[in-house]
Amino acid sequence: MAFVLSVVGSPALSWQLGDRQAYNNKMALLNVMLEGAKQRAVDTDDLQTLCLVMSIGNDVTERYLQEHSSDQQIEQRLQGMRNDFSSCLGLLYSGQ
């Protein structure tokens, strides 16, 4: 019986780990884009690109949390990301 439960439970756990790995991969790519956008914002005052990349990161994180709402670590990350995005928008619109 324990063997059957471990076999049935393994694919579900594997799927969850796969989702988290896919999320981590997306965020790693977005982090590279974010660093470039930060440098561009400093060099050319291009806050629009920076805010856009932040928005994409928020969207990816929100979509992940729709499927994995119990992931408290990612939920906390999203709160910080939202704060950063709000700050970016504030800077963007205060300069116009």
Side-chain angles (χ1 to χ4, degrees), residues 33-34 36-37 40 46-54 88 92:
M33 294 172 61
L34 184 63
R40 183 176 171 137
D46 181 9
L47 289 172
Q48 290 176 334
T49 301
L50 179 60
C51 291
L52 176 65
V53 174
M54 288 178 155
C88 187
L92 177 65

Side-chain angles (χ1 to χ4, degrees), residues 69 77 96:
S69 59
R77 180 185 296 173
Q96 292 182 349

Side-chain angles (χ1 to χ4, degrees), residues 12-62:
L13 180 59
S14 170
W15 179 255
Q16 289 175 347
L17 292 175
D19 285 354
R20 179 62 182 262
Q21 187 60 44
Y23 169 76
N24 288 341
N25 290 342
K26 289 175 189 177
M27 292 308 292
L29 178 59
L30 282 168
N31 199 22
V32 170
M33 294 172 61
L34 184 63
E35 290 303 316
K38 285 178 185 177
Q39 187 60 46
R40 183 176 171 137
V42 168
D43 294 344
T44 65
D45 290 329
D46 181 9
L47 289 172
Q48 290 176 334
T49 301
L50 179 60
C51 291
L52 176 65
V53 174
M54 288 178 155
S55 174
I56 294 168
N58 285 350
D59 187 56
V60 167
T61 302
E62 286 173 1

